[in-house]
Amino acid sequence: AHPDDIEFVAAGTLLQLKERAGFDLHYFNLSEGNGGSVSMSSEETARVRLEEARTAADILGATHHPPVARDLEILYTVPLLRKVAAVVREVKPSIVLTHSPVDYMEDHMNTCRLAVTAAFSHGVPNFETDPPTESYSDDVFVYHAMPHGLMTPLRQPVEADSFVDTTAVHAEKREALAAHKSQKEWLDHSQGMDSYLQNMDEISRAVGRMSCKFTHAEGWRRHLHLGFSAKDEDPLVQLLGDAYTLNTNPAPD
């Protein structure tokens, strides 16, 4: 949804896919992040955050795609869906990493919905995108990150289906997050975070403890394959090897 979301919940997995499986990485924030400041105007904030996001994408070795919306204006609408679907068709991803379907704010949840529908429409040639882009028929696998705070808005804990070991790439993930320098002031003001880097470290270790295996980790839940891929597969098993594990200790119902 916003510049720095990728670094918080997905950058470690992206780096592991690049280093272990040779994947090309693509970095797409839907919002320009214009609301993320108490000291800059909306326009200046958007300009600063765009440069920070481009720097972060460079650190990750990812192709950066420009934003298509503004903070608190990521809505599940057809015009915005056409723009997101166009990026999906341009990139032709085999794996899409996106937000949790239930998260602490609407921008995250609507980004998830848009990403899922855009991925679903990748093989639907009669769905028009903006700009017009050809559909493709290859399988697409969608994974959902852990929500902010590792719980739902109603404080219900969220269990991951699987975990990616990000220990070896944690320093690079942290470097990418540090590129979003403008966010320290904003997060300290809006969410009481002593340090956004420290907060990411703590979440990473908390998910690592959930895995019962890794020091630092990112947790994932796999979207149902129907409409996205021909087979019910989990490609991360083969791609990441011993850096990937399934949750064998789910919480009891």
Side-chain angles (χ1 to χ4, degrees):
H2 314 104
D4 79 11
D5 285 341
I6 288 171
E7 291 77 10
F8 263 107
V9 300
T13 300
L14 289 171
L15 288 167
Q16 287 285 36
L17 283 168
K18 181 181 70 172
E19 295 184 10
R20 286 175 170 256
F23 269 53
D24 292 328
L25 307 184
H26 290 264
Y27 182 114
F28 186 22
N29 303 131
L30 297 199
S31 175
E32 60 189 24
N34 63 291
S37 177
V38 293
S39 61
M40 296 184 289
S41 68
S42 177
E43 291 72 20
E44 184 180 4
T45 302
R47 179 186 60 77
V48 169
R49 298 200 71 190
L50 178 60
E51 289 306 311
E52 291 173 342
R54 286 172 173 163
T55 299
D58 285 344
I59 291 169
L60 297 174
T63 299
H64 178 272
H65 297 270
V68 292
R70 294 166 69 85
D71 280 359
L72 304 183
E73 297 178 20
I74 302 177
L75 304 175
Y76 190 81
T77 62
V78 173
L80 191 51
L81 176 60
R82 294 195 195 283
K83 292 179 182 294
V84 178
V87 174
V88 170
R89 291 184 183 184
E90 174 193 347
V91 172
K92 295 181 173 62
S94 56
I95 294 175
V96 172
L97 307 179
T98 189
H99 282 295
S100 170
V102 179
D103 211 332
Y104 86 117
M105 70 169 302
E106 296 293 330
D107 277 358
H108 285 206
M109 293 188 285
N110 286 333
T111 294
C112 172
R113 293 185 66 197
L114 289 162
V116 168
T117 306
F120 186 91
S121 72
H122 78 280
V124 183
N126 288 341
F127 180 72
E128 299 177 5
T129 63
D130 179 18
T133 314
E134 288 188 9
S135 62
Y136 68 103
S137 58
D138 297 342
D139 288 347
V140 176
F141 298 90
V142 178
Y143 291 82
H144 297 283
M146 295 293 283
H148 187 53
L150 309 181
M151 61 181 65
T152 73
L154 298 181
R155 300 178 176 272
Q156 298 166 324
V158 172
E159 286 278 333
D161 292 338
S162 59
F163 302 92
V164 173
D165 183 6
T166 60
T167 309
V169 296
H170 184 77
E172 193 172 354
K173 171 178 174 172
R174 202 176 199 273
E175 181 185 0
L177 180 58
H180 299 275
K181 298 176 183 178
S182 68
Q183 289 312 280
K184 182 183 186 323
E185 177 191 18
W186 168 249
L187 292 172
D188 285 353
H189 174 81
S190 65
Q191 299 184 28
M193 292 183 179
D194 180 50
S195 167
Y196 71 123
L197 296 173
Q198 181 179 343
N199 181 260
M200 186 276 287
D201 290 340
E202 292 171 351
I203 292 173
S204 178
R205 284 191 291 266
V207 179
R209 289 192 294 272
M210 289 179 183
S211 75
C212 301
K213 188 173 182 179
F214 307 133
T215 302
H216 290 281
E218 291 171 353
W220 296 98
R221 290 180 290 167
R222 187 161 53 96
H223 200 91
L224 184 67
H225 73 289
L226 297 176
F228 298 85
S229 60
K231 296 181 180 179
D232 185 8
E233 298 177 342
D234 184 354
L236 296 187
V237 171
Q238 288 76 33
L239 293 169
L240 298 183
D242 61 1
Y244 187 68
T245 188
L246 300 178
N247 186 356
T248 57
N249 298 291
D253 292 335

